[in-house]
Amino acid sequence: MKKVLLALAAAVVSVSSAFAATVGDTYTKVASSADLTVGDEYIICYETNAMGGKNSSKSFYDNVADGVTINGDVAKIKNASVMSFTIVEGTAANTYAFKLEDGKFISCTSVANGNTDSADTLGETSNMNITLSSGVATIIFTKNSNNNSNKFQYNTSSPRFTNYKTGTQKNCTLYKKDSGGYTVLAPSIACADNVVTITNNEEGATVYYTTDGTTPDATSTLYTAPFAITETCTVKAVAIKDGESSIPTTYTATFVAPAEVEPFTSSIAAVDDVITAARGTEITFTSLHAAKIEAVIAIEGQDDATESVESDKFVYTVSEAASIMLTSYNVDGTQAHEALYEIALEAAPLCGEVVFNPASGSAVIAGSEVTITCENAAVITYFIEINGELGDAIEVEGSEAKVVVNEACTIHADAKNIDGVPSEAAEASYTIAEAPATGSAMFDFTDLEKTCDLHSGINVSDLPTATGSGINFGDYKGNFTNGVVTVSFAKGTNTSNGPRWWYSKNGYHVRMYANNTVTVTVNPGCEITSIEFTQGDDNDWAMGAGAPAGTWSGKTWTPTPAASAMMREAAKGVESVTFTPTGKTFFATMNVNYEQPTTGVGSVVVDDANAPVEYYNLQGVRVENPANGLYIRRQGNNVSKVFVR
């Protein structure tokens, strides 16, 4: 380790004077071993925390929180409790020791954490190895180094500055006291990507620097902007203001040789320098480690275009057959590699069939969307025919277009791929159906009389009145029915407790256990759109995990797909749903929202001609011999609306 001696080694060891950290004094960061000087005064810090005096009862040195102000590489004493020390030669070769203000030496006699003390005389327990990297100091007690794992560090909690062999402590920064009565703050120096940046920390000062290790002055190079280096060098800088100079800042700027630039490659393999690709394809050309790539693009019938990117990658999107001349450059601006590629056009995939959703012939509700899709299409063109009159053609880029239908119409459409090759034309016709009527049915288990009226087998007198008791729904036959909606409860499997109408101090509600079930059913032709649960003060809830396909918003369940059926043909929604809680669950009310058909005749599709035919009125009540009028017709699994004459 290089050391700069101010006096003979023997004389240094006997230094008896001590330096005191005084508020307002400035200290400069020790950036490298070359700046470490025996006999000078130092402080040790982690960020703005500084080492204070030795703890009176413990083997560590106190932390002076916010003890210094950091400005670049300069630390200014903010609190008189900050401890300063001189660096002296250790008793072993290539070692140092910290001599304190009271003449004692920091020492370590144990490998255990938190065992840093002070010794009256300089000995092997005070010997330290000190290495510096980018201003961060690694300090190791040589006698108790424990394979170099014991370090003098800062801890974020007590004990603070002391010896550590384990944990997440922080290496510190050494600051050396400015000498010569400097009043101008020293500049800071940094180097990244072989570019040196000097920061002026003194407002109104001018910065000068050298790169040969000599001390700069007002005749040296004026710093105006970051500069590049081509080899490792020692940069020194001073700030001069009103004829006063700062202490020099020294920094070793290490040159990192850039990786050698590699020849061009392409993301799509070239055959004899020819790349075949369809329009719209992105091709990435790479000259690894290049600082810049320049591309000259030649397309027949167009002027050559030149593009430049400060990167080792150039991305080209194929539009036409072209020639591309690529040139990559080194960091210093010299040319590295050239490559010439020919781009040949590949025929794009042909368009597939134009598809309408819903299919042609559907009855849709005014305001519904019809989706037109065509595989491999770059553009879809459609126009709408209403009462024999054709509207304007509309083009939509991509393979999908959406059309809002407000009245009976025919939609004509075709598509083209990226090369402009058209698909076969297609059309779809639609009629307008009235939107289904909506309704809701409330089951309020806190309202005894109204809810008992919905069940033929339960009377108000049957309900419990003792707190913590209930009646088991399984003891009664029949269901709760409100209009077109029926709710039924069951015990389920693998459980000894069934669902109950429960009474507690908070009133009446439903109490369910794991694996119990509650089933909601609407009359044929109707569709459940959502079910809303509410709770009282008993708020155990495990219904969500056991719910069927659908989505929850709070305690409101919506089936998948949602049963608003904007493009409803015949009953396609959810007619029945069963919930199975996974644990104890309470709820006070259930509100079932549904849709039911009004007018209009839907398509009749018979999949099972042998199944019996059933008719229901629009309220969901079965009719044995329907007279003239509109009915719901069910045959097998098919449901439709019909007008009987």
Side-chain angles (χ1 to χ4, degrees):
M1 181 182 296
K2 181 179 178 181
K3 299 183 179 181
V4 180
L5 302 181
L6 298 184
L8 294 175
V12 170
V13 174
S14 64
V15 171
S16 59
S17 61
F19 298 97
T22 303
V23 173
D25 283 354
T26 58
Y27 292 71
T28 301
K29 179 192 291 186
V30 181
S32 66
S33 300
D35 298 329
L36 198 63
T37 308
V38 172
D40 275 353
E41 179 183 351
Y42 294 81
I43 58 173
I44 187 167
C45 303
Y46 175 71
E47 296 178 346
T48 60
N49 299 287
M51 186 185 81
K54 181 179 177 301
N55 190 281
S56 59
S57 60
K58 303 287 181 67
S59 294
F60 61 84
Y61 289 81
D62 288 325
N63 173 52
V64 182
D66 201 25
V68 295
T69 300
I70 305 296
N71 187 350
D73 286 346
V74 177
K76 188 173 184 178
I77 301 298
K78 191 174 180 181
N79 190 313
S81 298
V82 175
M83 172 71 74
S84 64
F85 51 85
T86 55
I87 289 184
V88 300
E89 293 245 27
T91 60
N94 297 320
T95 62
Y96 294 104
F98 291 170
K99 185 173 183 178
L100 304 173
E101 298 173 354
D102 59 4
K104 295 184 178 183
F105 301 88
I106 294 179
S107 66
C108 179
T109 59
S110 170
V111 296
N113 286 346
N115 276 276
T116 302
D117 215 319
S118 61
D120 293 331
T121 58
L122 181 62
E124 62 179 355
T125 60
S126 296
N127 292 341
M128 301 174 175
N129 280 330
I130 304 175
T131 57
L132 293 112
S133 175
S134 301
V136 178
T138 302
I139 303 170
I140 300 173
F141 287 100
T142 59
K143 179 174 175 57
N144 299 296
S145 65
N146 195 21
N147 294 322
N148 293 330
S149 63
N150 292 67
K151 299 178 178 65
F152 185 72
Q153 294 176 307
Y154 167 81
N155 190 29
T156 55
S157 60
S158 185
R160 295 300 191 145
F161 288 88
T162 188
N163 174 66
Y164 291 99
K165 65 176 181 178
T166 58
T168 57
Q169 290 74 35
K170 310 293 184 182
N171 284 333
C172 302
T173 303
L174 285 168
Y175 289 87
K176 179 165 61 177
K177 187 175 182 181
D178 294 342
S179 58
Y182 292 103
T183 59
V184 178
L185 292 176
S188 307
I189 306 176
C191 182
D193 298 327
N194 296 327
V195 175
V196 175
T197 301
I198 303 176
T199 302
N200 186 358
N201 297 312
E202 181 71 40
E203 185 177 357
T206 304
V207 174
Y208 299 88
Y209 70 94
T210 62
T211 57
D212 58 3
T214 60
T215 301
D217 56 25
T219 64
S220 302
T221 304
L222 174 68
Y223 178 78
T224 57
F227 57 91
I229 58 172
T230 57
E231 60 182 357
T232 298
C233 59
T234 299
V235 181
K236 288 192 174 184
V238 294
I240 298 177
K241 180 179 181 181
D242 299 331
E244 297 290 332
S245 175
S246 71
I247 189 172
T249 299
T250 303
Y251 182 87
T252 300
T254 302
F255 177 76
V256 180
E260 184 176 350
V261 177
E262 297 183 7
F264 280 98
T265 60
S266 59
S267 58
I268 298 178
V271 179
D272 295 330
D273 298 326
V274 177
I275 296 175
T276 303
R279 284 185 173 88
T281 303
E282 286 190 347
I283 306 173
T284 300
F285 299 97
T286 302
S287 180
L288 200 61
H289 307 307
K292 184 178 76 170
I293 293 177
E294 187 176 80
V296 179
I297 304 165
I299 297 176
E300 186 176 352
Q302 301 179 17
D303 293 336
D304 291 355
T306 301
E307 298 183 31
S308 180
V309 292
E310 293 186 356
S311 171
D312 61 358
K313 292 179 176 58
F314 174 75
V315 179
Y316 176 71
T317 302
V318 177
S319 59
E320 302 288 344
S323 296
I324 302 179
M325 172 61 76
L326 298 167
T327 306
S328 61
Y329 294 88
N330 298 301
V331 174
D332 61 3
T334 58
Q335 181 177 314
H337 297 283
E338 280 188 340
L340 176 63
Y341 290 93
E342 296 292 334
I343 308 299
L345 283 181
E346 177 182 78
L350 297 177
C351 292
E353 179 185 359
V354 175
V355 177
F356 296 87
N357 185 28
S360 179
S362 297
V364 300
I365 297 168
S368 300
E369 281 187 342
V370 172
T371 301
I372 309 171
T373 57
C374 182
E375 186 179 8
N376 302 323
V379 61
I380 291 176
T381 303
Y382 71 88
F383 56 90
I384 300 174
E385 178 184 353
I386 300 175
N387 296 326
E389 294 186 8
L390 298 178
D392 295 334
I394 299 175
E395 285 192 352
V396 178
E397 291 185 357
S399 60
E400 180 181 279
K402 292 185 180 295
V403 184
V404 177
V405 174
N406 291 307
E407 54 187 307
C409 65
T410 298
I411 302 174
H412 304 266
D414 61 17
K416 293 179 181 177
N417 69 1
I418 198 169
D419 289 338
V421 180
S423 69
E424 291 188 9
E427 63 181 45
S429 298
Y430 299 95
T431 57
I432 298 299
E434 291 189 23
T438 61
S440 64
M442 171 61 76
F443 298 83
D444 185 350
F445 292 95
T446 67
D447 190 327
L448 307 185
E449 292 188 3
K450 286 185 178 180
T451 307
C452 285
D453 288 343
L454 304 179
H455 195 295
S456 60
I458 300 179
N459 299 311
V460 173
S461 59
D462 296 326
L463 299 181
T465 56
T467 300
S469 61
I471 64 168
N472 195 323
F473 288 132
D475 296 336
Y476 296 88
K477 294 183 179 180
N479 307 307
F480 294 91
T481 301
N482 187 354
V484 301
V485 181
T486 298
V487 174
S488 60
F489 295 87
K491 183 176 180 180
T493 60
N494 301 320
T495 181
S496 58
N497 295 316
R500 300 169 183 176
W501 201 339
W502 194 256
Y503 178 72
S504 67
K505 63 180 180 180
N506 299 318
Y508 287 91
H509 48 255
V510 172
R511 176 172 181 161
M512 298 183 69
Y513 300 88
N515 298 321
N516 292 171
T517 63
V518 54
T519 300
V520 181
T521 305
V522 292
N523 285 352
C526 300
E527 302 173 2
I528 298 171
T529 58
S530 66
I531 301 176
E532 304 163 349
F533 294 87
T534 66
Q535 292 183 297
D537 294 334
D538 295 291
N539 55 11
D540 288 300
W541 181 262
M543 191 76 83
T551 57
W552 285 95
S553 176
K555 291 181 175 58
T556 298
W557 177 82
T558 304
T560 302
S564 58
M566 289 290 286
M567 296 183 179
R568 168 178 178 161
E569 296 174 58
K572 298 185 351 182
V574 178
E575 291 187 358
S576 182
V577 60
T578 298
F579 297 92
T580 306
T582 56
K584 185 168 63 175
T585 296
F586 294 99
F587 60 86
T589 70
M590 292 176 61
N591 188 47
V592 181
N593 298 299
Y594 58 87
E595 291 180 349
Q596 60 183 357
T598 53
T599 60
V601 180
S603 302
V604 178
V605 180
V606 179
D607 291 335
D608 187 354
N610 296 321
V613 177
E614 299 173 346
Y615 292 91
Y616 298 82
N617 63 21
L618 297 183
Q619 287 70 45
V621 179
R622 184 171 178 177
V623 179
E624 293 294 339
N625 298 300
N628 293 347
L630 185 65
Y631 294 90
I632 304 297
R633 181 181 186 275
R634 186 206 292 246
Q635 184 174 24
N637 293 321
N638 294 286
V639 178
S640 61
K641 293 167 288 183
V642 296
F643 191 86
V644 177
R645 292 183 172 84

PDB file of all heavy atoms in Angstrom, residues 430-442:
ATOM      1  N   TYR A 430     -80.072  -8.950 -40.589  1.00  0.00           N
ATOM      2  CA  TYR A 430     -80.521  -8.933 -39.197  1.00  0.00           C
ATOM      3  C   TYR A 430     -81.883  -8.271 -39.104  1.00  0.00           C
ATOM      4  O   TYR A 430     -82.191  -7.316 -39.842  1.00  0.00           O
ATOM      5  CB  TYR A 430     -79.514  -8.172 -38.316  1.00  0.00           C
ATOM      6  CG  TYR A 430     -78.150  -8.810 -38.329  1.00  0.00           C
ATOM      7  CD1 TYR A 430     -77.171  -8.365 -39.207  1.00  0.00           C
ATOM      8  CD2 TYR A 430     -77.854  -9.869 -37.484  1.00  0.00           C
ATOM      9  CE1 TYR A 430     -75.922  -8.961 -39.245  1.00  0.00           C
ATOM     10  CE2 TYR A 430     -76.602 -10.475 -37.509  1.00  0.00           C
ATOM     11  CZ  TYR A 430     -75.648 -10.016 -38.397  1.00  0.00           C
ATOM     12  OH  TYR A 430     -74.423 -10.621 -38.422  1.00  0.00           O
ATOM     13  N   THR A 431     -82.696  -8.791 -38.178  1.00  0.00           N
ATOM     14  CA  THR A 431     -83.956  -8.149 -37.811  1.00  0.00           C
ATOM     15  C   THR A 431     -83.819  -7.610 -36.400  1.00  0.00           C
ATOM     16  O   THR A 431     -82.885  -7.959 -35.673  1.00  0.00           O
ATOM     17  CB  THR A 431     -85.122  -9.146 -37.890  1.00  0.00           C
ATOM     18  OG1 THR A 431     -84.831 -10.261 -37.034  1.00  0.00           O
ATOM     19  CG2 THR A 431     -85.334  -9.640 -39.311  1.00  0.00           C
ATOM     20  N   ILE A 432     -84.764  -6.757 -36.023  1.00  0.00           N
ATOM     21  CA  ILE A 432     -84.701  -6.114 -34.717  1.00  0.00           C
ATOM     22  C   ILE A 432     -85.704  -6.774 -33.777  1.00  0.00           C
ATOM     23  O   ILE A 432     -86.873  -6.964 -34.114  1.00  0.00           O
ATOM     24  CB  ILE A 432     -84.996  -4.609 -34.827  1.00  0.00           C
ATOM     25  CG1 ILE A 432     -83.939  -3.947 -35.717  1.00  0.00           C
ATOM     26  CG2 ILE A 432     -85.001  -3.964 -33.449  1.00  0.00           C
ATOM     27  CD1 ILE A 432     -82.518  -4.067 -35.206  1.00  0.00           C
ATOM     28  N   ALA A 433     -85.233  -7.150 -32.603  1.00  0.00           N
ATOM     29  CA  ALA A 433     -86.087  -7.724 -31.555  1.00  0.00           C
ATOM     30  C   ALA A 433     -86.168  -6.751 -30.394  1.00  0.00           C
ATOM     31  O   ALA A 433     -85.240  -5.975 -30.148  1.00  0.00           O
ATOM     32  CB  ALA A 433     -85.520  -9.064 -31.079  1.00  0.00           C
ATOM     33  N   GLU A 434     -87.319  -6.763 -29.714  1.00  0.00           N
ATOM     34  CA  GLU A 434     -87.450  -5.905 -28.545  1.00  0.00           C
ATOM     35  C   GLU A 434     -86.608  -6.450 -27.405  1.00  0.00           C
ATOM     36  O   GLU A 434     -86.448  -7.662 -27.240  1.00  0.00           O
ATOM     37  CB  GLU A 434     -88.914  -5.817 -28.104  1.00  0.00           C
ATOM     38  CG  GLU A 434     -89.795  -5.058 -29.069  1.00  0.00           C
ATOM     39  CD  GLU A 434     -91.171  -4.797 -28.488  1.00  0.00           C
ATOM     40  OE1 GLU A 434     -91.284  -4.803 -27.251  1.00  0.00           O
ATOM     41  OE2 GLU A 434     -92.106  -4.606 -29.268  1.00  0.00           O
ATOM     42  N   ALA A 435     -86.074  -5.549 -26.610  1.00  0.00           N
ATOM     43  CA  ALA A 435     -85.279  -5.962 -25.451  1.00  0.00           C
ATOM     44  C   ALA A 435     -86.166  -6.683 -24.454  1.00  0.00           C
ATOM     45  O   ALA A 435     -87.343  -6.352 -24.294  1.00  0.00           O
ATOM     46  CB  ALA A 435     -84.649  -4.735 -24.787  1.00  0.00           C
ATOM     47  N   PRO A 436     -85.653  -7.698 -23.792  1.00  0.00           N
ATOM     48  CA  PRO A 436     -86.463  -8.405 -22.795  1.00  0.00           C
ATOM     49  C   PRO A 436     -86.786  -7.499 -21.616  1.00  0.00           C
ATOM     50  O   PRO A 436     -86.033  -6.578 -21.294  1.00  0.00           O
ATOM     51  CB  PRO A 436     -85.556  -9.565 -22.372  1.00  0.00           C
ATOM     52  CG  PRO A 436     -84.175  -9.081 -22.659  1.00  0.00           C
ATOM     53  CD  PRO A 436     -84.283  -8.221 -23.872  1.00  0.00           C
ATOM     54  N   ALA A 437     -87.916  -7.782 -21.003  1.00  0.00           N
ATOM     55  CA  ALA A 437     -88.280  -7.040 -19.796  1.00  0.00           C
ATOM     56  C   ALA A 437     -87.397  -7.511 -18.646  1.00  0.00           C
ATOM     57  O   ALA A 437     -86.924  -8.641 -18.616  1.00  0.00           O
ATOM     58  CB  ALA A 437     -89.746  -7.272 -19.466  1.00  0.00           C
ATOM     59  N   THR A 438     -87.178  -6.635 -17.703  1.00  0.00           N
ATOM     60  CA  THR A 438     -86.372  -6.979 -16.530  1.00  0.00           C
ATOM     61  C   THR A 438     -87.251  -7.011 -15.297  1.00  0.00           C
ATOM     62  O   THR A 438     -88.306  -6.366 -15.238  1.00  0.00           O
ATOM     63  CB  THR A 438     -85.236  -5.970 -16.320  1.00  0.00           C
ATOM     64  OG1 THR A 438     -85.802  -4.667 -16.111  1.00  0.00           O
ATOM     65  CG2 THR A 438     -84.313  -5.936 -17.517  1.00  0.00           C
ATOM     66  N   GLY A 439     -86.810  -7.779 -14.334  1.00  0.00           N
ATOM     67  CA  GLY A 439     -87.532  -7.860 -13.072  1.00  0.00           C
ATOM     68  C   GLY A 439     -86.606  -8.278 -11.958  1.00  0.00           C
ATOM     69  O   GLY A 439     -85.432  -8.584 -12.179  1.00  0.00           O
ATOM     70  N   SER A 440     -87.111  -8.278 -10.746  1.00  0.00           N
ATOM     71  CA  SER A 440     -86.320  -8.716  -9.601  1.00  0.00           C
ATOM     72  C   SER A 440     -87.255  -9.341  -8.573  1.00  0.00           C
ATOM     73  O   SER A 440     -88.446  -9.007  -8.505  1.00  0.00           O
ATOM     74  CB  SER A 440     -85.543  -7.554  -8.978  1.00  0.00           C
ATOM     75  OG  SER A 440     -86.434  -6.581  -8.455  1.00  0.00           O
ATOM     76  N   ALA A 441     -86.703 -10.234  -7.807  1.00  0.00           N
ATOM     77  CA  ALA A 441     -87.463 -10.893  -6.748  1.00  0.00           C
ATOM     78  C   ALA A 441     -86.641 -10.839  -5.464  1.00  0.00           C
ATOM     79  O   ALA A 441     -85.505 -11.300  -5.443  1.00  0.00           O
ATOM     80  CB  ALA A 441     -87.771 -12.335  -7.129  1.00  0.00           C
ATOM     81  N   MET A 442     -87.228 -10.263  -4.406  1.00  0.00           N
ATOM     82  CA  MET A 442     -86.533 -10.095  -3.136  1.00  0.00           C
ATOM     83  C   MET A 442     -86.941 -11.205  -2.165  1.00  0.00           C
ATOM     84  O   MET A 442     -88.129 -11.500  -2.002  1.00  0.00           O
ATOM     85  CB  MET A 442     -86.838  -8.725  -2.526  1.00  0.00           C
ATOM     86  CG  MET A 442     -86.327  -8.536  -1.105  1.00  0.00           C
ATOM     87  SD  MET A 442     -84.521  -8.678  -0.978  1.00  0.00           S
ATOM     88  CE  MET A 442     -84.033  -7.092  -1.655  1.00  0.00           C
TER      89      MET A 442
END
